[in-house]
Each structure stands twice: as structure tokens, then as C-alpha cells.
Amino acid sequence: MRYRRPGLDITSHTLLILCVIVFFLPVWMAIVAATHTQSSLYTGTAPLWFGSEGLGNFLAVLSDPVSRLGTDATRLLLNSTIMALGIAVGKITIAILAAYAIVFFRFPMRMLCFWAIFITLMLPVEVRIMPTYKVVADLGMLNSYSGLILPLIASATATFLFRQFYLTVPPELLEAARVDGAGPWRFLRDILLPLSKTNIAALFVIMFLYGWNQYLWPLLITTESDYMTVVISLKRMLTSADNLVPWHTVTATTLLAMLPPIIVIVLMQRYFVKGLVDTEK
Amino acid sequence: MATLRLDGLKKTYPNGFVALHGLDLTIDDGELLVVVGPSGCGKSTLLRMLAGLEDITEGSLYIGEKRVNELEPVERDIAMVFQNYALYPHMSVAGNMEYALKNRGIPKEERRRKVEETARLIGLQDLLDRRPRQLSGGQRQRVAMGRAIVREPQVFLFDEPLSNLDAKLRVQMRLEIRRLQKRLGVTAVYVTHDQVEAMTLADRLIVMNEGRIEQLGTPMTLYEQPASTFVAGFIGSPAMNFLNANADGDTLTLPCGSQLTSPVDVHGDITLGIRPEHLVPVEESPQALTVQVELVEPLGADTLAYATLAGQTEPLVVRFDGVRRLNEGDRLWLAPDRERLHVFDPDHGHRLTTTETSTTS
Ligand SMILES: Nc1ncnc2c1ncn2[C@@H]1O[C@H](COP(=O)(O)OP(=O)(O)OP(=O)(O)O)[C@@H](O)[C@H]1O
Ligand SMILES: [Mg+2]
């Protein structure tokens, strides 16, 4: 429904534009700062226009080891991507299978399983971080990708969402598939997964961001710079004891760290907006 | 193509509810058997047991010579058409139709050929690329049929396939189902609660009541010789009239004083059944039933009159030719045909024949 009210239009647009400026200003300053040299950033006023370096700072952090980290941003981004992808894909896979079992199979203690999964919602990593650390350390998974990914991979939220979705699938669809000779795996692959495309896309974005933004867990278990994630590295660059903070490198790395989530959102939102518009159920 | 044999088929649901009380039945090769009955009588349960979607608690089910109790639906080689069609929403019409063939590992070329052949048979050629949501109700119904036909199963199972269609389309699809089933010669079981559908489609008809077969026979047998008041009331529209009467040999005396000749020789209280179309208006006479018209429903071809008869609680429904003009309040004299009177036991509702005597004599 659209109303034609010119006064309202102007007010709301002004408001929106203001919000955009407020939100975008820090980003703009980061972009600008990333194009300056370190010395020109320490002249007293924060610059509002591009400096002399252009893309030089970006190329530098991507190719050369960053000071005090001992590794370059390419490696950091790679680590973060592997971790975020691992978490997102793992969470979704496990959630799909768990929800599938709970909704479509009759096995003893089915509801107990469901509630057991459900109450783990109350136990995020932060709460169980010490025991988890101990387990991971004992398994020798400190400083490894599996150590970064596995403790975060189970997701009650996603399981719950998939369960709710599966419950809305008409039971006749399952029966029709059975009559048509589709076994459990075929039904999952040919019918259930295509129908949950929208859910998968939306959850993938959410879970990717969740994995990408993990801070406490990677901070705890990665001591080698080879497994450091980009989010951790930012904090590390800022904690300088003796010399000045290299703002040009920090901002360049920050901007690089923002890119993959943006790319994921842009790519995926097409799927789920499409899915929401022409829902096939 | 196969015969279907049910041997003491019984269903008890996990909550202890007995939905079917041991059915014995043989469905001949190529026959279209219609199962009809009121809501909750176990029609869907029966069909789903035949399909293998519901476990058989007791008894045996044979398709052809093979006992299939333990077989999965796909191994029984049946095809089912669901009430809400249950088409796969994300697959095209062609995709829906070929899915079963694909699962059987039939090569792509052959699949395409079969799907196209079937589509031509049921008039879906131009819709093969559409998604189910881009189809009308009637077209979806056709796709559901096509999906069943393309597999060339031994048995078709239909669970109220037409109940989501409008009246006109229902008549059209009814004819089409009948034509296709005869042409393909596939044994079929068809569940409905619409008695017109049941009468027009069936080779043989089962009337079910609370998990039991009330009567099995051709539509005309059920119409002419209903085994009980339940069947009599279910088959035929408008439903049969039931009157209280007293029988003494071949004379029936109604509470209003009229006397009719009974087709059977019984004594005592009975329930007399007369179909609305078998009440013929006559000149005033002491033998005739004297009624007063209460309400008139002109249907065009026919006119229905609801009339009161002394001593009866329910109004009597009478069917007249559409040309006859009737007014509310008119007095009429009706003479039922002796051969078309039905005599039932007043307590248990079963049909009484000459050899039996009424229980309450
Ligand atoms: N899963 C179940 N557990 C217990 N009782 C059930 C179950 N499914 C069906 N019933 C009962 O079995 C009886 C027969 O059900 P069924 O679905 O076969 O009826 P129906 O004849 O197909 O009715 P309708 O014409 O309304 O479709 C009903 O009384 C129903 O309540
Ligand atoms: Mg039913």
C-alpha cells in the first residue's frame, strides 16, 4: 500500500539520508584513512579526503607480513573464510539432518533428542568456554582449523528453524514420494532440500556472519599467527605498547575484513528475496 | 493388472482405536471398485493400507498371487492419487510425472517418451513445463492422474480425488476417470463420500460403516436391494423415506390407517422404506397415503415435495416430474409400488426377507 503525501515523503527521506550519513561516516573515514601514510594520519586532524597512497596500503597488507602479527592479511582472510564457511556449512548440514530425523522418523526418545538439542540454546560457547577449551586442547586441536570450527558447529537455532519448516510440509508429499519410490535419502535430496532453499540461503548468511565475527573462541585457541583470524588480528594491531598505532594498516585490514560478509550477503540475498517473492509452496 | 485380495484385513491404530474390523474382499482384475461411506468410517484407512502407507494390524493383502503385507508402497506397484494432489511444488509437470520413473532408473529418453505419451492421453501436452502453482485446480488434478498413469501400475488408488473441484468439473473428470480406467484396464479402488460419484463410477460398490462392510454389490443391486437402512439411506438421492409400520403377513398397516401390500411375509413392527421416486400420485382412495405438502423444491427436471403424513415424525420426500405444478398446502394421495417397498428390521436396520420373521413380533 502506498500513500501519496508529499510532506511525509520529504520528512522521511531527510531522516533516512541523515541516518545513512551517520552510519556511513565512520566507514568513509576508514576508507580515507586507508589511503594515507602513517605520518599524515598523525598531523592532528582526521582527513576527510583520500591521501597519497591509493590502494598501496591494501596491497601492502595483503602481500607483506603485517607488523607485530607475523603474517599477511591474505592469510588472515583465508583463515577467517575457512572458519566462517566451515561453521556455516557445518551448522546447516547438521541442522538439516537433525531436523529431518526428528520430524520424519519415529525412533525411541525422539522428543528427548529434540529437547536435548533445544536446551543447548542456553549454552553458547561463551558459557562453556573452559570445558570446551580443555576438550579441544586434550584432543590436540589447538591451532587448527578443526579446533576453530568444530566446537561452534552444532546449532540448536538452525535445527529448530528447519524443524518448524519441515512440520509445514504436507505429509502427503512424503507419501507421494514413497509411492513414487523415493527412499529417505532421495526424499531429502529431491524434495525437502529444494523446498528449503530459501531457509538455507537465509541461514547461511546468518551463520557465515556469526562465524566470521567470532572473537573469544579464536582468541583463546590460536596462538600461532598461521591460524589467526582477521577479527583477532585487528585487536592485536591496536595493542601497541611502545610505538604508534599504524592506523593506515589497521583501517585497510578492517575494510578488507568487511568485504567477504558483504559479498556473501549480496550473493545470497538474491536467493532468499527471490524465494520469498515466488514461494513455491 | 492384477486382482486384489483382502483376507481379514484389520487395522488398530496405536491409540487402540479399531478403524477396520477385518475386511474380506476380492477385487477383480480391471475392476473399478468404489468405497463409499460417511466421514470417519475408515475409507482412507483402507486405501492407505492397500497402498502400504499404513501398517496392516491383522490379516493379509494379496496383489495378484503375492502377499504384500510387508512390502513398501513402491514394491507393491500401485499408484495413488491424493485428495489434495500432493504434487511436488518445485518440479515441473513433466518432472512430477517422471519422478517415479527416474527413481526406477529408467533412461532419460524412455522417460521423456512415456511422459509425452501420457500427457497426450490426458491433454497435458502444452503444460509440461509449468509448475503446479501455475495450474488451475482441474489441471493439477490431471497432473496427479498423469503421475499415476505414467508408471503403468498394477492398481490405481484414488482417495476422494475430485472433492476439491467445482461441481461441473467434477462431472467432467468423473467421466474422464471412468474412460481412462476402462481404456487402461487397470484395477482401481476409488474412495469417495459422494454417492452420485460412487453410483456412476463403480463396477461394484462397497458401503462402509464404522470400519465394516455394510454391503457390497453393483450400484443397481445396492439401489434396488439395500441390505440395511444404512445402505438404503446412503445410496440414492434424495434419501429413502423410512416409515414406522406394522406387518401382518403381506398386509402393512401404517399409523395413519392406510394399508399397503407387503412384498415380504413378516409379522410385527417394521421399518418401511420407500424411495422418493417410487411414490406415485393417484386419485383419492382409501389405500393411498394421504399427505399434505409442506415445502416444494423445484429442481427443473424434478420437483421435490416435503410432505407430512399422519403418524410419522419425519416429513416424506416425494419426487415428481418437473412439469407438475405443486403448491404448499396441497393435499395429495400417493400409492407406492408394491415391488419397490423395502422392509427393514426396526431395531437393527437389516433388510427383512420372507423367510425371516421380525424380531419384535
Ligand atoms: N492415526 C490415527 N490414529 C488414531 N485414529 C485414527 C488415525 N487416523 C484415523 N483415525 C480414525 O480412524 C477412523 C477412520 O479414519 P479415516 O481417515 O479412514 O476416515 P475416512 O472414512 O477416510 O473419512 P473422510 O471421509 O472424512 O476422509 C476415524 O474415526 C479416525 O478418527
Ligand atoms: Mg478420508
Side-chain angles (χ1 to χ4, degrees):
Chain A
M1 185 100 50
R2 292 183 67 123
Y3 297 102
R4 283 209 55 79
R5 299 249 180 84
L8 194 68
D9 270 7
I10 291 169
T11 332
S12 50
H13 275 86
T14 320
L15 210 63
L16 284 173
I17 289 166
L18 269 176
C19 288
V20 168
I21 290 173
V22 169
F23 169 77
F24 201 68
L25 195 65
V27 181
W28 174 252
M29 292 188 70
I31 294 173
V32 168
T35 62
H36 281 265
T37 59
Q38 183 167 15
S39 49
S40 71
L41 285 175
Y42 277 91
T43 54
T45 50
L48 282 175
W49 197 246
F50 299 109
S52 54
E53 294 301 301
L55 292 176
N57 287 335
F58 291 100
L59 297 176
V61 290
L62 283 174
S63 53
D64 307 327
V66 179
S67 58
R68 265 174 297 162
L69 293 181
T71 183
D72 55 51
T74 313
R75 180 80 203 192
L76 296 171
L77 287 171
L78 183 73
N79 290 347
S80 274
T81 310
I82 289 175
M83 178 177 176
L85 274 181
I87 290 175
V89 172
K91 267 182 188 292
I92 289 175
T93 313
I94 291 176
I96 285 176
L97 293 176
Y100 184 50
I102 286 172
V103 175
F104 290 98
F105 292 82
R106 299 280 163 272
F107 53 89
M109 298 198 289
R110 192 169 58 98
M111 284 322 278
L112 186 72
C113 287
F114 172 69
W115 286 109
I117 293 173
F118 197 67
I119 58 172
T120 61
L121 271 179
M122 290 186 274
L123 298 171
V125 221
E126 290 76 8
V127 177
R128 57 182 161 91
I129 200 150
M130 278 311 150
T132 311
Y133 181 85
K134 176 84 170 92
V135 171
V136 170
D138 287 353
L139 291 174
M141 293 199 297
L142 298 177
N143 288 313
S144 72
Y145 289 128
S146 46
L148 279 171
I149 294 168
L150 286 182
L152 302 176
I153 210 170
S155 169
T157 326
T159 310
F160 187 67
L161 288 176
F162 277 111
R163 172 183 179 263
Q164 294 312 94
F165 171 71
Y166 290 164
L167 286 177
T168 67
V169 172
E172 285 86 1
L173 226 47
L174 171 65
E175 293 177 349
R178 272 179 74 191
V179 171
D180 275 349
W185 284 113
R186 281 226 171 109
F187 176 68
L188 178 66
R189 191 192 64 197
D190 294 344
I191 310 224
L192 222 43
L193 287 186
L195 287 178
S196 26
K197 253 190 329 210
T198 314
N199 291 35
I200 293 176
L203 272 175
F204 183 82
V205 171
I206 294 168
M207 295 309 174
F208 185 87
L209 294 187
Y210 168 86
W212 187 267
N213 291 331
Q214 277 304 314
Y215 178 71
L216 197 54
W217 182 248
L219 184 67
L220 209 58
I221 74 149
T222 59
T223 44
E224 286 169 21
S225 53
D226 272 354
Y227 290 99
M228 192 184 293
T229 64
V230 70
V231 175
I232 306 286
S233 77
L234 291 174
K235 177 74 175 91
R236 227 165 267 157
M237 280 191 254
L238 289 176
T239 44
S240 51
D242 39 355
N243 39 18
L244 298 169
V245 176
W247 281 113
H248 60 301
T249 337
V250 174
T251 49
T253 317
T254 309
L255 291 171
L256 287 173
M258 281 164 61
L259 270 184
I262 292 176
I263 292 171
V264 167
I265 291 175
V266 168
L267 285 183
M268 283 296 171
Q269 66 94 38
R270 257 194 297 162
Y271 279 103
F272 62 78
V273 170
K274 181 164 166 282
L276 290 181
V277 172
D278 61 10
T279 179
E280 290 187 342
K281 264 209 317 159
Chain B
M1 270 78 335
T3 57
L4 214 63
R5 193 152 65 82
L6 287 65
D7 194 0
L9 216 59
K10 182 171 170 183
K11 176 71 191 180
T12 310
Y13 277 112
N15 64 359
F17 181 81
V18 183
L20 292 181
H21 302 266
L23 302 193
D24 294 302
L25 176 68
T26 304
I27 305 164
D28 297 330
D29 190 9
E31 181 181 29
L32 200 167
L33 181 91
V34 174
V35 181
V36 64
S39 192
C41 69
K43 306 182 296 287
S44 299
T45 305
L46 170 62
L47 206 66
R48 292 163 51 78
M49 280 162 86
L50 300 184
L53 296 170
E54 205 73 73
D55 291 336
I56 295 171
T57 315
E58 257 174 54
S60 306
L61 172 65
Y62 298 88
I63 297 180
E65 288 308 307
K66 201 155 100 204
R67 186 169 184 274
V68 297
N69 279 38
E70 269 74 46
L71 295 189
E72 270 290 295
V74 62
E75 296 162 321
R76 295 186 186 190
D77 202 9
I78 46 109
M80 185 149 173
V81 178
F82 294 84
Q83 175 171 357
N84 62 1
Y85 319 137
L87 300 177
Y88 310 122
H90 58 292
M91 294 185 192
S92 65
V93 169
N96 265 283
M97 283 169 64
E98 72 171 359
Y99 187 56
L101 304 179
K102 206 162 151 183
N103 288 336
R104 257 192 235 162
I106 291 173
K108 197 166 176 174
E109 275 308 302
E110 196 181 336
R111 273 188 343 233
R112 254 241 325 269
R113 190 177 53 70
K114 282 193 170 171
V115 166
E116 276 170 8
E117 208 171 272
T118 311
R120 244 192 329 276
L121 185 70
I122 53 177
L124 279 175
Q125 308 91 304
D126 304 327
L127 304 176
L128 283 177
D129 295 327
R130 298 244 193 119
R131 294 286 168 90
R133 76 190 139 81
Q134 300 166 317
L135 301 175
S136 71
Q139 289 165 335
R140 280 181 212 178
Q141 168 59 42
R142 248 170 243 265
V143 178
M145 293 276 300
R147 191 168 67 174
I149 292 172
V150 76
R151 301 172 34 190
E152 300 167 10
Q154 301 223 45
V155 182
F156 283 140
L157 302 174
F158 298 94
D159 194 357
E160 310 199 16
L162 304 183
S163 56
N164 287 353
L165 301 180
D166 67 48
K168 195 172 164 205
L169 206 53
R170 208 175 318 169
V171 174
Q172 191 187 330
M173 288 306 293
R174 193 167 80 199
L175 289 172
E176 202 153 322
I177 288 179
R178 173 85 193 161
R179 188 176 59 82
L180 277 170
Q181 193 267 339
K182 283 296 152 233
R183 175 159 163 192
L184 301 168
V186 177
T187 315
V189 181
Y190 187 108
V191 163
T192 176
H193 58 242
D194 177 349
Q195 61 94 17
V196 180
E197 219 168 276
M199 293 284 284
T200 49
L201 274 173
D203 290 321
R204 280 191 308 163
L205 189 58
I206 288 181
V207 178
M208 274 182 59
N209 184 19
E210 293 180 356
R212 290 195 174 82
I213 295 182
E214 194 79 22
Q215 191 175 3
L216 163 66
T218 63
M220 281 324 279
T221 314
L222 265 64
Y223 178 80
E224 286 168 352
Q225 283 155 17
S228 65
T229 47
F230 182 84
V231 177
F234 207 85
I235 300 294
S237 164
M240 185 184 277
N241 298 297
F242 295 111
L243 308 174
N244 305 317
N246 190 277
D248 186 13
D250 62 356
T251 318
L252 295 172
T253 315
L254 286 127
C256 66
S258 312
Q259 294 202 324
L260 302 169
T261 323
S262 170
V264 294
D265 187 8
V266 290
H267 296 270
D269 285 338
I270 54 127
T271 298
L272 175 66
I274 313 174
R275 292 202 181 274
E277 51 273 38
H278 297 153
L279 282 163
V280 189
V282 290
E283 293 297 305
E284 183 170 356
S285 90
Q287 294 301 315
L289 306 174
T290 317
V291 299
Q292 181 148 22
V293 177
E294 209 173 53
L295 190 76
V296 181
E297 279 186 352
L299 300 177
D302 301 316
T303 300
L304 298 183
Y306 295 79
T308 44
L309 174 64
Q312 306 294 341
T313 46
E314 294 286 309
L316 205 62
V317 186
V318 191
R319 173 184 246 159
F320 292 108
D321 203 311
V323 294
R324 188 177 175 108
R325 294 287 171 265
L326 281 172
N327 291 311
E328 279 150 34
D330 284 357
R331 273 170 87 78
L332 292 172
W333 289 270
L334 303 168
D337 188 345
R338 173 178 181 262
E339 293 306 313
R340 288 173 152 170
L341 293 179
H342 306 270
V343 179
F344 300 102
D345 181 290
D347 298 325
H348 306 99
H350 62 262
R351 186 183 189 84
L352 295 176
T353 53
T354 311
T355 51
E356 267 178 290
T357 3
S358 167
T359 45
T360 52
S361 55

